[in-house]
Amino acid sequence: MTTEKKTTNNLLKGKEYCEKLKDKLPKQLYKLMLIIFISIFALTIFVSNFNSASILVYAMLASFAVVKFLKKYNSFFDTTSDIKLLIFLSLFCFLVKFLWIYYMRMEPKVDYATFYYSAVGLSKSWLYPNRYIALFPHIFGYSTFLSLFFKFLGESVFLATLLNVILSVVSGILIYKIVRNIISVTAAVCAYVLWIICPSQTIYNSLVLSDPLYTTFILAFVYFVVVIAKKEKSLKWTQMLFYGAWAALILQCINVNRPIAMVLIIAMLIWVFVLRFKELFRRAFLVKWLSFFAVMLVVYFSLGGLWNLYFTSRIGEAPASAPGYNIHVGFNVNSSGTWNAEDSELLFSYSDQEGTTAEWAQKQMLNEAKKRITSSEIDFTKLFKDKLSFFLGKDSVCVGYCSDIIKEKEYMSMICDAFYYCMILLSLCGAYKMLKTSHRSPVFILPLYVIGVTCAQMLVEVAPRYHYSVIPFLIMISQFYLFKKRNYGTKTEEV
């Protein structure tokens, strides 16, 4: 009897421990996640070098002004039609962005010229042999998108920038819809307005670049997740199969333009299977999400294979699958993980050899990267600190890219950095407020994406422009501080 009682007690204790684990684990993990998010930007502020110490002061003053204004007019937009607000904001967004590209026209240079002339070539001929595109396959995605418009509407640089404006409006609408569903109408209006007045985003529209396109797809995916989460209880597992296929399509659209779709896949896996750990013990929940991920992953990789076949038929050789060059550059201490002529010459010394392929050249660079990483000559702490500073430290690099058309460079740089740091400060406060949010809410996709893309950039070549897609996430996270959070899952309007 004594042994049986001990066994029974141990089983009861084990069951009690499991129940506590189900409750405590998600809470502790999403607190840890938000602490990491806050730490990344706190560290960014600490390690970044400013042209002027006044930038932080201006950012703090701007943050204070935004808070005071919104507290005064907090309920104004609640009395206005949701659709009217969205239409008005979209027209306003188009006007602001269009006026910029109309008066500030920039001829494509360097990477932007690569995108433009690749699109021109693809619009004229089915077969467009190009080793550079085969080495860096993401160029093909955006160039193909652009070539469709060039084929029927002409090869104007202005057309490419006009498409940037249209994509900016679509991104604004998606930001509005996401924030509208997770917070409130007023918060959605504020987020859209901040997107409209974001100076760096407006300036980038003068360039021929893929960032507006893949950022739009990223926001579309986040909105898609929000919609699924709101309908989750009423959805059957067979319907989740359908949603999984659509999610895969959006993810592949992201990946062909910038290979970061895996960041969103991992973010979703963490949200569903880690932050919602307690719900895994419900059979209906588990079946639904396993069905969703199974279909999503199968369709995602299948579409990837089909895209590679299409790529090969247009470029004349298969795309390189190994990002060897980017990893090799990412661990170059002398260049702080940024582009440098030495690593570029090494890549082309492999690529230019007779009878080689893009895949082979990138694999050689991957071997070089392994040698560099294991050489014991890298101060990883300093390298990652420098890379974090380059990646997130400033938002004024767009002014340098457009130096031919911007006269007041110092003034515009200060405006860009002040706005950017205003968003960082507000998003840090918003992340702190998110600690009180239910872990079943899809809002945690927002900080998870920022953390994921930051970690990914620490492993590869880094550039300030690559944080373009982070800015709308900072804007959305900041709304948790600016507005009282609505309880997720309450009765709301249709999504």
Side-chain angles (χ1 to χ4, degrees), residues 89-99 162 165-166 169:
L89 288 168
S90 297
L91 290 173
F92 180 48
C93 181
F94 182 85
L95 179 63
V96 170
K97 310 297 183 184
F98 178 80
L99 287 174
L162 181 61
V165 171
I166 295 170
V169 174

Side-chain angles (χ1 to χ4, degrees), residues 48-55 394 396 409-410 413-414 417:
S48 297
N49 298 315
F50 296 100
N51 291 330
S52 172
S54 59
I55 289 175
K394 292 182 180 180
S396 55
K409 297 178 183 61
E410 187 176 343
S413 295
M414 185 170 289
D417 287 334

Side-chain angles (χ1 to χ4, degrees), residues 312-378:
T312 305
S313 70
R314 298 296 306 272
I315 302 301
E317 70 171 300
S321 60
Y325 168 78
N326 299 84
I327 297 172
H328 186 64
V329 173
F331 286 91
N332 188 321
V333 178
N334 296 327
S335 69
S336 298
T338 62
W339 182 92
N340 62 89
E342 181 185 354
D343 289 337
S344 182
E345 289 170 4
L346 180 61
L347 169 65
F348 288 105
S349 71
Y350 285 121
S351 177
D352 292 342
Q353 292 180 29
E354 190 176 348
T356 61
T357 62
E359 175 73 5
W360 181 84
Q362 284 284 22
K363 282 187 176 179
Q364 302 313 303
M365 291 303 295
L366 187 60
N367 292 332
E368 295 288 347
K370 291 175 182 176
K371 292 177 186 176
R372 176 172 283 176
I373 294 168
T374 57
S375 66
S376 302
E377 296 176 0
I378 299 177

Side-chain angles (χ1 to χ4, degrees), residues 13 19 45 54 73 110 138 161 163 169 209 245 250 261 293 362-363 375 379 427 429 450 455 461 464 469 471 479:
K13 285 180 181 179
E19 290 297 322
I45 294 172
S54 59
Y73 298 99
V110 199
H138 67 277
T161 59
L163 290 171
V169 174
L209 73 173
I250 300 172
F293 280 108
Q362 284 284 22
K363 282 187 176 179
S375 66
D379 183 346
S427 66
C429 297
V450 176
C455 292
E461 178 189 357
S469 66
I471 292 176
Q479 304 310 304

Side-chain angles (χ1 to χ4, degrees), residues 9-154:
N9 288 335
N10 288 335
L11 288 172
L12 290 172
K13 285 180 181 179
K15 187 178 180 181
E16 185 180 348
Y17 175 78
C18 288
E19 290 297 322
K20 287 181 179 179
L21 184 65
K22 284 193 288 183
D23 289 327
K24 288 184 177 182
L25 183 63
K27 292 178 182 178
Q28 296 304 318
L29 287 174
Y30 76 71
K31 284 180 182 178
L32 175 63
M33 175 197 67
L34 292 175
I35 289 169
I36 293 171
F37 174 85
I38 293 170
S39 300
I40 285 172
F41 286 99
L43 186 61
T44 297
I45 294 172
F46 179 75
V47 302
S48 297
N49 298 315
F50 296 100
N51 291 330
S52 172
S54 59
I55 289 175
L56 260 184
V57 176
Y58 290 143
M60 291 177 184
L61 290 174
S63 302
F64 179 75
V66 169
V67 173
K68 292 294 287 183
F69 176 82
L70 291 172
K71 283 185 177 179
K72 188 175 182 180
Y73 298 99
N74 193 16
S75 60
F76 174 77
F77 297 107
D78 289 332
T79 59
T80 309
S81 168
D82 203 21
I83 296 175
K84 287 180 180 178
L85 283 171
L86 192 53
I87 292 172
F88 173 77
L89 288 168
S90 297
L91 290 173
F92 180 48
C93 181
F94 182 85
L95 179 63
V96 170
K97 310 297 183 184
F98 178 80
L99 287 174
W100 175 268
I101 66 161
Y102 185 80
Y103 290 106
M104 309 294 281
R105 303 196 182 197
M106 180 82 182
E107 284 300 312
K109 294 181 179 180
V110 199
D111 289 348
Y112 314 115
T114 301
F115 280 125
Y116 174 74
Y117 290 112
S118 297
V120 171
L122 289 166
S123 69
K124 291 180 176 179
S125 171
W126 176 267
L127 186 62
Y128 182 66
N130 191 303
R131 171 55 63 85
Y132 191 82
I133 294 178
L135 287 168
F136 304 103
H138 67 277
I139 296 172
F140 181 71
Y142 176 66
S143 297
T144 301
F145 168 80
L146 205 55
S147 70
L148 298 174
F149 295 91
F150 282 179
K151 189 175 183 66
F152 298 104
L153 301 175

Side-chain angles (χ1 to χ4, degrees), residues 259-271:
I260 54 174
M262 195 55 65
V263 171
L264 288 165
I265 293 173
I266 294 171
M268 267 209 78
L269 287 168
I270 292 173
W271 173 58

Side-chain angles (χ1 to χ4, degrees), residues 186-197:
T186 312
V189 171
C190 177
Y192 201 161
V193 170
L194 289 171
W195 175 250
I196 293 169
I197 65 174

